[in-house]
Amino acid sequence: MMDDATQDHHGHKPKKAARGAKEAKKDKRAKKDGSRVERHNHRAFSVANVVRTQRTVQRNLDRGQKKEYVPLDDRRAQDASMAPPSMVVVMGPPGVGKSTLIRSLVKMYTNHNLTTVTGPITVVTGRQRRITLFECPNDTAAMLDCAKIADLVLLCVDAKFGFEMETFEFLNVLQTHGFPKVMGVFTHLDQFRTTKNLRKTKKLLKHRFWTEIYQGAKMHYFSGVINGKYLKNEVKQLSMFISRVKYRPLVWRNTHPYVVVDRHEDITHPNKVEEDPSCDRSVTFYGYVRGTHLKPGMKVHVIGVGDFPMTEVSVLPDPCPLPDNENKKKSLKKKDSLLFAPLSNVGAVSFDKDAVYIDIGHANYTKKENLALEKEEEDSNDSDSEDEREYDADEPAGLLRSLQDVKSGLNEKIEQATLRIFKGSKPVRAGSDDSSDDEESDVNVDGKSNFDTEKLTRPFRPRNSSPDSDRDNGSDDEEDITLSNDSSDSDDDEDSNSSDDESIELDASSSSNHAMSSWKNNLAERAAQSFLSRESSTVNLQELIYGSARKAMVVSDDIEGQQNLDEGDSDDSDDDFFKVRGKVGAKSSTDSTSEDTLREPSMLGEEDSSRVLFDGDDSFNISPWLEEGDDGLIESIRDKFVTGKWENSGTEPDEVYGDFEDFETGDKFGSHQEASLDGDDEEEHRLAAMTDDEIRAYHAEKKASQKSIFDEKFDEEKKMLGGAIGENDESAEKDYMESLQREKEARLRRNEDEFGEEGERARLAHEGFRQGLYCRIRIDYIPANFMSSFDPHMPLVLGGLTPQETNHGLIRCRFKKHRWHKRILKCNDPLVFSMGWRRFQSVPVFSTEDENGRHRYLKYTPEHMHCHATFYGPQVPPNTGILAIQKMSESIAGFRIAATGVALELDASFHVVKKLKLVGTPSKIYKNTAFISGMFNSDLEVSRFEGASIRTVSGIRGQIKKALREGQPGSFRATFEDKILLSDIVFCRTWMPVEIRKYYNPVTNHLTQSTEGWRGMKPKAQLQIETNTPIEVNPDSIYKPIERPDRKFKKLFVPKRLEESLPYASKPKNETKRKKKGYVSKRAVVMEADERKKHAFVQALNSIRNEKVSIRRTKNAERLQDKAKKNSKKEQATAEKRKIDKKRKYRSEGKKEAAREKKRARS
């Protein structure tokens, strides 16, 4: 070999310089000249792997197909304020923490601690969302009702114990009545000791839960309980998922209205109830309308009670409204959160069987003006930070607070009531004839009222800005008060004509009253001092920026009346009513100086100018405000309303920004503003005559019309660009959905414009009560047991019925026994059906459909196959889910759901038949004709079955001809394919119609103390067990052992002439018995010694040979037996196959023959 240093390696090919550039130049020149040859390589862009590409394309198509679904028209309100609260049902076995979960959610949403969880609990969870929580009890009827109304189901499962039977039962109920959204809540996770066991259990529960619901169903794990509530973070996470749930419309609720009753009241007249306690009642039900529109003339089904017409329907204010939408914040404040749970004793009103209780909060409520001055001074700093809630006197809370001021009963008030005809006149007391007492009480009342009026009106007196004038006015006021009191006392002394004893008693009573009300003295002054102290301690930003404001100068009518009362004579009080009121300025000379000081300010700082009184020439001077120029009063305060400085720039604002129009207010701005104003004079005059609401509505309508014009133009442009849109399917689909949304909005807008707010009554009469409205529904003729037996833990639902659903008839459904139910179902045994809103008991008849369309009767349901069930009940639309239960009792061991199904068709009658075999025996046989008896009882029955096909047990077919005149009644003549024997049995296969029993018994569990209190029809087997009745045995139904004796046939007799002509092989070889034995049997054989040895040896060989032969025969017999078994199986399979082939062949030939017959009949 050569050395590595001298080895010559093959080098790379040298690169041709500028080869690509030359080719590019040539290609460019050829493209420019038009001489370029286009080359298309059909394999340049082909796929590398055809099978993989095909699978990818198929997978993408399958994924797209899975996303497609039948679109349902969602009839729920789009606006959250109009939609009813979402129904959240908390379901689970006893002891898994349902009530704790509801209390935790309510605490998280409203910061309220629920003591009892009873009935629907409505909670505002956000600015645009409300939910109604309901705990589903462990009752079959309650589970059925909750499944029909639930929008979201929270399945509570004890993770330590695992899934229980109630959970799977409720899931099956949900699958039948429309599957809503379901989320799992697993509790008691804190009882696991090791993390490994916890992780393993979570995995098992997750896979089992996903198997029942769907892959990826939401699950929440609650680890423990603190202070009777679950952990805050876990509850908050659950509430977040609840707020994000999107509900898909269900078919039944999308076509039927229903009301989940929050509460109900008995409004029957008490006299009627007292006369007959068991009389029918008039009951009002309250709740939100859900589903579709509830029309007033519609019949409703009160689940658990019965069908009733609605006597009266009216709309009530929403007891749990959404927060005000003026604030556009997305979050919900604690003060806006609301809770409505009338049956859980939440809020100010609680309901009981006998009465309604009102909780007024703290009974020891003390009014603010009645507090002591010292306590006010101590708490003055704290009162700034704490906001006291004040109630309007017309509101319920204000009325309740006013009840606390009542210190005497109604009878005492009537006895002490007084009536004053004129102002200042003497009041007349009820039931009193002594005028002096009336005068004295009148004086006291007047004095007290004037004193209180003086104190209350003191803060509203006009003041000067200087503190000296304030002190002077304050002293004058005090003097006026004392003078008025003195004058009133003097009047009392002059007017009183009673004795000295009576005056002493009067003084004693007045002194005691004064001592009792001493704490009320100078209340207004103390309140004013505390207010001034608080004002001085706080910094007013407005005063720092704009300067100190002038004090309000107010002249009160009460002060004016007090002054006139002081100046006038008090002798004739009745003459004051007819005295002409003087001017405010016409006062005594002593008060002239103070009045001048009051009039000196220009009063530009008045807070309420409507209460300032001007007389003569002292009117308000507005000329300084109308002066123009830079030195004007308006120009001096202009800078206080803007930030920055007024500067003139070289460019005008109109030139920079152009013209624009505000569609909300209708104002136009810009350089062409004057021209537009000249053109819109009519519009301005029209707007000037409108109110603010009308102007706002006018501009909103104008804006909406312009938006609709823009949408129409946009749609037209899209239509013009149809080809471009078609290229991109996603964009086309998006545009199509947007157009549908705009069309829906336009339709809703047209409805609103058609009815409007004023036509709300007409709208309710036309389309019914919309969903989301809180209604009061009155129903008469409710049984009295409903009021005494109602359980608030059970759901109460009013379901609307269509006219079809009020009728009763036969229903045929596809039916299947549940695979977890222990026993198969027997025909004509009663079952409880849940279908639509109703729960009722009926008697089903099972059948199966044959290939020829015949519905054949079945005595029992098939084990793992569907069948048909026909029963009597209220009609429902086809494809409605049906669920069957054997017993409504809770004490049943095992799975309670017996079967499920779907309604197929409705009719007044259905044809279900069962087999009936008529058996007869031949009496006479004439070749292929025979006389049959025992099959019918009369000639009339024979005439009914003339031409019917019959057959024997051996398979010989025949036909019934005519009845016989002689012999047993019911005998007839029949013809057969072959001659039959007297031992043959002849039978006729017929189909007998089955009668369907019309039995309907609604489950009225609300009329009894519990669901177990309702009694329905019991199966026959249960009655026999309870009454120890033996089972009836029909002798014909017992299977008897079949005994068939061997038949002995006579020997074949061949005549001698025929025997002679037969060949020897066919001749009978019958040897006759001999009376005596022959010679061979009588002779004796004597063998020699050698012959005996040979004979013994041959016998030994024969015995050995016979033994081998016997063993071989037994082996062959066993082998043949095994082979026969295998061959029998093969022959059986081939026979079945041949039978199927023959059946198919005969069927096809029969169809062809039938087609030929039809063709011949047509021709």
Side-chain angles (χ1 to χ4, degrees):
M1 292 181 63
M2 298 175 60
D3 192 12
D4 294 340
T6 61
Q7 186 178 1
D8 187 12
H9 296 281
H10 182 72
H12 295 285
K13 293 182 179 180
K15 184 179 179 182
K16 295 182 179 181
R19 182 182 178 184
K22 288 182 180 180
E23 292 294 333
K25 287 180 181 180
K26 287 182 181 180
D27 186 60
K28 187 176 181 181
R29 193 180 302 112
K31 186 177 180 180
K32 189 175 182 181
D33 297 342
S35 59
R36 180 182 177 184
V37 180
E38 297 288 344
R39 296 183 178 89
H40 295 287
N41 187 0
H42 65 280
R43 299 194 63 183
F45 300 100
S46 62
V47 294
N49 193 337
V50 179
V51 178
R52 184 185 302 168
T53 306
Q54 184 179 2
R55 289 177 180 174
T56 305
V57 172
Q58 186 65 35
R59 180 174 176 272
N60 293 335
L61 292 175
D62 292 342
R63 290 181 63 187
Q65 186 72 21
K66 288 180 181 178
K67 293 180 181 179
E68 296 179 0
Y69 62 93
V70 179
L72 294 176
D73 187 12
D74 191 358
R75 297 188 179 181
R76 291 177 296 180
Q78 298 296 328
D79 189 3
S81 60
M82 300 179 64
S86 302
M87 195 71 190
V88 180
V89 173
V90 183
M91 194 277 159
V96 296
K98 302 188 293 294
S99 302
T100 306
L101 178 60
I102 293 178
R103 282 196 291 266
S104 302
L105 287 172
V106 172
K107 176 67 175 178
M108 201 275 299
Y109 284 130
T110 64
N111 201 20
H112 185 89
N113 291 318
L114 272 180
T115 55
T116 58
V117 179
T118 308
I121 301 171
T122 304
V123 182
V124 177
T125 61
R127 303 202 64 84
Q128 297 294 331
R129 184 178 286 266
R130 296 175 293 180
I131 62 172
T132 299
L133 299 169
F134 191 88
E135 180 183 352
C136 179
N138 185 25
D139 184 84
T140 309
M143 290 166 61
L144 294 174
D145 297 344
C146 290
K148 298 173 184 178
I149 62 175
D151 295 322
L152 172 65
V153 177
L154 300 180
L155 276 180
C156 295
V157 179
D158 187 353
K160 185 66 176 177
F161 188 82
F163 287 100
E164 299 183 47
M165 196 61 71
E166 290 84 354
T167 304
F168 295 110
E169 288 176 349
F170 192 72
L171 286 175
N172 280 272
V173 175
L174 292 179
Q175 290 172 356
T176 304
H177 294 297
F179 209 92
K181 296 288 184 178
V182 178
M183 288 195 295
V185 178
F186 295 90
T187 60
H188 297 80
L189 295 178
D190 54 337
Q191 296 182 3
F192 288 92
R193 296 183 178 179
T194 60
T195 310
K196 182 180 179 180
N197 193 11
L198 175 61
R199 194 183 303 113
K200 184 179 179 181
T201 306
K202 279 186 177 181
K203 187 176 180 180
L204 292 174
L205 293 174
K206 180 182 69 173
H207 288 296
R208 189 68 184 92
F209 189 72
W210 285 2
T211 303
E212 291 295 327
I213 312 297
Y214 62 87
Q215 294 292 325
K218 296 297 180 184
M219 301 169 61
H220 301 274
Y221 302 98
F222 285 5
S223 56
V225 177
I226 299 177
N227 296 328
K229 307 285 190 306
Y230 290 116
L231 299 183
K232 188 175 181 181
N233 292 335
E234 296 172 351
V235 177
K236 193 172 184 179
Q237 186 179 10
L238 175 61
S239 65
M240 180 181 65
F241 278 94
I242 292 175
S243 63
R244 294 177 180 178
V245 170
K246 294 182 179 179
Y247 306 107
R248 187 169 182 264
L250 302 179
V251 177
W252 180 262
R253 302 181 207 173
N254 214 15
T255 55
H256 292 77
Y258 63 99
V259 176
V260 180
V261 178
D262 292 330
R263 61 185 181 91
H264 64 275
E265 296 179 4
D266 186 5
I267 59 173
T268 312
H269 199 279
N271 294 341
K272 194 174 180 181
V273 178
E274 186 176 358
E275 292 175 0
D276 185 10
S278 62
C279 66
D280 293 339
R281 307 299 177 88
S282 296
V283 183
T284 56
F285 300 92
Y286 302 86
Y288 291 96
V289 178
R290 304 167 191 264
T292 57
H293 301 299
L294 180 67
K295 295 187 177 180
M298 182 179 290
K299 221 175 182 182
V300 296
H301 176 74
V302 183
I303 300 181
V305 182
D307 297 350
F308 301 94
M310 295 186 296
T311 307
E312 180 186 355
V313 185
S314 58
V315 181
L316 296 180
D318 197 335
C320 189
L322 289 170
D324 192 3
N325 293 328
E326 293 180 358
N327 189 3
K328 298 300 181 181
K329 293 181 180 179
K330 294 184 179 180
S331 61
L332 180 68
K333 297 181 180 179
K334 283 294 182 182
K335 65 178 182 180
D336 293 335
S337 59
L338 293 175
L339 172 64
F340 178 66
L343 299 180
S344 298
N345 295 330
V346 174
V349 182
S350 60
F351 298 88
D352 198 355
K353 290 185 178 180
D354 303 324
V356 178
Y357 302 97
I358 301 175
D359 184 9
I360 60 175
H362 298 286
N364 322 344
Y365 174 73
T366 306
K367 292 186 177 181
K368 186 176 180 180
E369 58 267 17
N370 296 339
L371 295 174
L373 179 61
E374 293 79 11
K375 192 172 183 180
E376 287 185 357
E377 292 177 353
E378 292 175 359
D379 301 340
S380 60
N381 298 327
D382 300 337
S383 61
D384 296 338
S385 59
E386 297 178 357
D387 296 335
E388 273 197 40
R389 185 175 180 183
E390 301 197 8
Y391 300 92
D392 190 2
D394 296 334
E395 293 183 354
L399 294 174
L400 293 175
R401 290 293 171 89
S402 64
L403 291 176
Q404 298 177 359
D405 296 335
V406 178
K407 297 181 180 179
S408 59
L410 183 61
N411 298 333
E412 298 178 1
K413 283 190 174 183
I414 292 176
E415 292 176 358
Q416 299 177 1
T418 58
L419 175 64
R420 180 176 298 177
I421 302 176
F422 301 107
K423 184 178 180 180
S425 63
K426 299 177 182 178
V428 180
R429 179 178 297 176
S432 175
D433 296 334
D434 193 0
S435 61
S436 61
D437 295 338
D438 296 341
E439 292 174 359
E440 292 173 4
S441 61
D442 181 17
V443 171
N444 293 333
V445 171
D446 290 344
K448 186 176 180 180
S449 63
N450 293 335
F451 182 76
D452 294 341
T453 304
E454 183 68 23
K455 289 196 293 183
L456 292 174
T457 56
R458 184 182 301 164
F460 298 97
R461 290 195 173 189
R463 303 195 192 104
N464 278 335
S465 59
S466 61
D468 299 335
S469 60
D470 294 338
R471 284 195 300 270
D472 296 339
N473 293 333
S475 61
D476 294 339
D477 295 338
E478 292 175 2
E479 292 176 1
D480 295 340
I481 293 171
T482 54
L483 288 173
S484 65
N485 291 332
D486 295 340
S487 61
S488 63
D489 294 338
S490 62
D491 294 338
D492 295 339
D493 295 337
E494 292 176 1
D495 294 338
S496 61
N497 297 322
S498 59
S499 62
D500 297 338
D501 297 335
E502 292 176 355
S503 63
I504 293 171
E505 292 176 1
L506 180 63
D507 295 338
S509 62
S510 62
S511 62
S512 62
N513 293 333
H514 180 71
M516 291 176 64
S517 61
S518 60
W519 62 276
K520 298 182 179 179
N521 294 335
N522 302 327
L523 279 177
E525 292 182 3
R526 285 182 284 176
Q529 291 176 5
S530 62
F531 174 74
L532 292 175
S533 63
R534 290 195 300 271
E535 286 292 327
S536 61
S537 62
T538 57
V539 179
N540 194 346
L541 297 178
Q542 186 177 1
E543 292 183 357
L544 292 177
I545 298 174
Y546 301 112
S548 59
R550 298 176 183 268
K551 300 295 182 180
M553 304 181 68
V554 181
V555 178
S556 176
D557 295 338
D558 297 333
I559 299 175
E560 182 183 356
Q562 182 68 29
Q563 292 171 353
N564 293 333
L565 185 63
D566 295 341
E567 292 176 359
D569 297 333
S570 60
D571 296 335
D572 299 330
S573 60
D574 295 338
D575 298 336
D576 294 340
F577 181 79
F578 303 98
K579 187 178 293 184
V580 180
R581 289 184 66 179
K583 297 180 180 180
V584 180
K587 296 182 72 175
S588 59
S589 60
T590 57
D591 298 332
S592 60
T593 56
S594 62
E595 187 67 25
D596 294 337
T597 55
L598 288 172
R599 291 296 183 184
E600 283 180 4
S602 59
M603 298 183 219
L604 297 178
E606 283 297 328
E607 296 176 359
D608 190 2
S609 60
S610 61
R611 300 193 63 178
V612 181
L613 302 178
F614 302 102
D615 301 320
D617 299 334
D618 295 336
S619 60
F620 180 68
N621 187 12
I622 62 173
S623 58
W625 296 95
L626 300 178
E627 294 180 358
E628 297 181 356
D630 297 338
D631 299 335
L633 189 58
I634 294 179
E635 295 295 333
S636 63
I637 65 172
R638 186 182 297 276
D639 291 336
K640 293 188 176 183
F641 296 95
V642 296
T643 58
K645 297 182 179 180
W646 297 93
E647 295 181 357
N648 297 327
S649 58
T651 59
E652 296 295 333
D654 295 340
E655 297 177 1
V656 177
Y657 300 105
D659 301 337
F660 66 92
E661 180 180 358
D662 188 0
F663 290 126
E664 297 291 342
T665 60
D667 298 336
K668 297 181 179 180
F669 305 92
S671 60
H672 302 285
Q673 182 179 358
E674 296 179 359
S676 62
L677 290 175
D678 294 338
D680 298 338
D681 290 339
E682 297 180 359
E683 184 177 358
E684 289 183 359
H685 290 300
R686 189 165 61 253
L687 292 175
M690 296 181 182
T691 61
D692 294 339
D693 296 336
E694 293 176 351
I695 292 172
R696 195 176 297 107
Y698 170 76
H699 290 308
E701 184 180 357
K702 185 177 179 181
K703 186 176 181 180
S705 63
Q706 292 184 359
K707 184 178 182 298
S708 63
I709 293 171
F710 173 77
D711 292 339
E712 291 176 1
K713 290 181 179 179
F714 181 78
D715 294 338
E716 290 177 0
E717 292 177 359
K718 289 291 184 183
K719 290 178 181 178
M720 296 295 293
L721 300 175
I725 294 176
E727 294 176 0
N728 192 353
D729 295 337
E730 294 181 359
S731 62
E733 183 179 358
K734 185 177 180 181
D735 295 337
Y736 175 70
M737 296 301 294
E738 289 179 356
S739 63
L740 287 180
Q741 185 68 20
R742 288 196 299 270
E743 189 176 330
K744 186 175 182 180
E745 291 177 357
R747 185 167 64 252
L748 294 175
R749 198 181 304 113
R750 284 198 302 271
N751 290 339
E752 293 178 358
D753 296 341
E754 180 68 24
F755 294 103
E757 295 181 358
E758 297 180 356
E760 182 68 18
R761 184 177 300 175
R763 184 175 184 181
L764 292 177
H766 177 71
E767 66 179 8
F769 295 86
R770 301 180 302 277
Q771 58 172 335
L773 296 177
Y774 194 80
C775 291
R776 173 185 179 270
I777 302 173
R778 177 187 171 187
I779 298 178
D780 295 336
Y781 307 108
I782 298 288
N785 293 337
F786 173 74
M787 301 305 300
S788 59
S789 304
F790 177 72
D791 185 6
H793 296 88
M794 300 287 289
L796 183 60
V797 183
L798 273 64
L801 301 175
T802 60
Q804 176 197 10
E805 295 169 3
T806 57
N807 302 325
H808 289 69
L810 294 179
I811 303 168
R812 174 174 287 167
C813 64
R814 187 187 300 114
F815 206 68
K816 184 180 180 182
K817 184 193 79 70
H818 201 282
R819 60 195 176 108
W820 290 348
H821 196 261
K822 290 185 177 181
R823 297 180 179 179
I824 59 176
L825 305 178
K826 186 179 179 181
C827 186
N828 286 329
D829 274 357
L831 289 176
V832 176
F833 293 93
S834 175
M835 184 176 61
W837 298 123
R838 292 183 171 93
R839 293 181 270 107
F840 60 93
Q841 190 182 44
S842 186
V843 178
V845 173
F846 304 132
S847 63
T848 181
E849 187 176 5
D850 293 337
E851 295 177 354
N852 56 1
R854 181 196 302 118
H855 285 272
R856 180 163 45 88
Y857 172 85
L858 295 177
K859 192 173 183 181
Y860 299 98
T861 56
E863 188 69 31
H864 302 290
M865 196 176 72
H866 285 88
C867 66
H868 287 169
T870 308
F871 57 90
Y872 180 79
Q875 296 182 353
V876 291
N879 293 330
T880 302
I882 297 175
L883 188 135
I885 299 173
Q886 273 195 332
K887 297 179 182 179
M888 298 292 290
S889 176
E890 300 178 11
S891 60
I892 299 176
F895 203 72
R896 288 180 285 187
I897 297 175
T900 57
V902 176
L904 296 179
E905 51 184 336
L906 316 171
D907 203 344
S909 62
F910 285 105
H911 197 58
V912 179
V913 294
K914 66 178 180 179
K915 285 190 292 186
L916 179 64
K917 285 186 178 181
L918 303 176
V919 182
T921 56
S923 58
K924 289 183 181 181
I925 300 172
Y926 301 95
K927 292 186 179 181
N928 291 353
T929 303
F931 293 164
I932 309 298
S933 61
M935 185 176 291
F936 301 109
N937 297 323
S938 64
D939 296 344
L940 184 63
E941 294 181 3
V942 175
S943 63
R944 175 67 179 81
F945 283 87
E946 284 184 2
S949 61
I950 56 177
R951 61 176 298 184
T952 63
V953 177
S954 57
I956 301 174
R957 294 176 294 183
Q959 190 178 18
I960 299 175
K961 292 300 183 180
K962 290 286 185 180
L964 298 177
R965 296 180 181 178
E966 298 176 356
Q968 185 180 352
S971 300
F972 62 92
R973 180 174 60 87
T975 58
F976 295 91
E977 295 176 336
D978 197 1
K979 186 177 180 181
I980 64 173
L981 302 176
L982 286 174
S983 60
D984 283 337
I985 299 174
V986 182
F987 61 88
C988 177
R989 293 181 60 185
T990 60
W991 296 100
M992 175 184 174
V994 178
E995 181 185 0
I996 301 173
R997 300 176 184 176
K998 295 184 178 181
Y999 172 72
Y1000 171 74
N1001 182 17
V1003 180
T1004 55
N1005 61 303
H1006 283 304
L1007 302 182
T1008 57
Q1009 295 295 335
S1010 63
T1011 305
E1012 296 183 357
W1014 174 82
R1015 291 187 178 182
M1017 180 189 291
K1018 295 181 181 180
K1020 185 178 179 181
Q1022 183 179 355
L1023 290 174
Q1024 289 173 346
I1025 293 172
E1026 291 178 356
T1027 58
N1028 295 325
T1029 304
I1031 300 175
E1032 297 179 1
V1033 179
N1034 187 4
D1036 295 337
S1037 300
I1038 297 176
Y1039 291 100
K1040 300 175 183 178
I1042 300 173
E1043 296 179 0
R1044 292 189 179 95
D1046 295 336
R1047 296 186 63 183
K1048 295 180 180 180
F1049 298 96
K1050 294 179 181 181
K1051 291 183 178 181
L1052 183 62
F1053 175 75
V1054 181
K1056 289 184 178 181
R1057 292 182 181 180
L1058 181 61
E1059 185 179 353
E1060 291 176 357
S1061 62
L1062 288 176
Y1064 180 78
S1066 300
K1067 287 181 179 181
K1069 301 174 180 60
N1070 297 326
E1071 294 182 359
T1072 59
K1073 289 185 178 181
R1074 295 178 181 180
K1075 296 180 180 180
K1076 296 181 180 181
K1077 294 183 180 181
Y1079 170 73
V1080 177
S1081 60
K1082 290 181 179 180
R1083 70 180 180 177
V1085 179
V1086 180
M1087 291 183 291
E1088 295 181 357
D1090 295 337
E1091 289 178 351
R1092 284 199 299 272
K1093 289 182 181 179
K1094 291 178 182 178
H1095 182 69
F1097 180 72
V1098 171
Q1099 282 185 344
L1101 290 176
N1102 286 334
S1103 63
I1104 293 171
R1105 175 177 165 275
N1106 292 334
E1107 182 70 19
K1108 290 182 178 180
V1109 169
S1110 64
I1111 293 172
R1112 192 181 299 118
R1113 283 177 181 175
T1114 54
K1115 292 292 183 181
N1116 290 336
E1118 292 177 359
R1119 186 168 61 254
L1120 290 174
Q1121 191 176 1
D1122 295 339
K1123 189 175 181 181
K1125 288 182 180 179
K1126 293 180 182 179
N1127 292 336
S1128 64
K1129 290 182 180 179
K1130 292 181 181 179
E1131 289 175 0
Q1132 187 178 359
T1134 54
E1136 291 180 356
K1137 187 175 181 181
R1138 288 173 186 171
K1139 186 178 179 180
I1140 294 172
D1141 293 342
K1142 284 183 179 180
K1143 199 172 183 180
R1144 189 181 296 113
K1145 181 180 178 181
Y1146 293 151
R1147 189 185 298 113
S1148 62
E1149 290 179 356
K1151 289 181 180 179
K1152 290 178 182 179
E1153 187 65 28
R1156 292 193 200 101
E1157 291 292 337
K1158 289 183 180 178
K1159 193 172 182 181
R1160 291 195 202 100
R1162 290 175 185 172
S1163 60

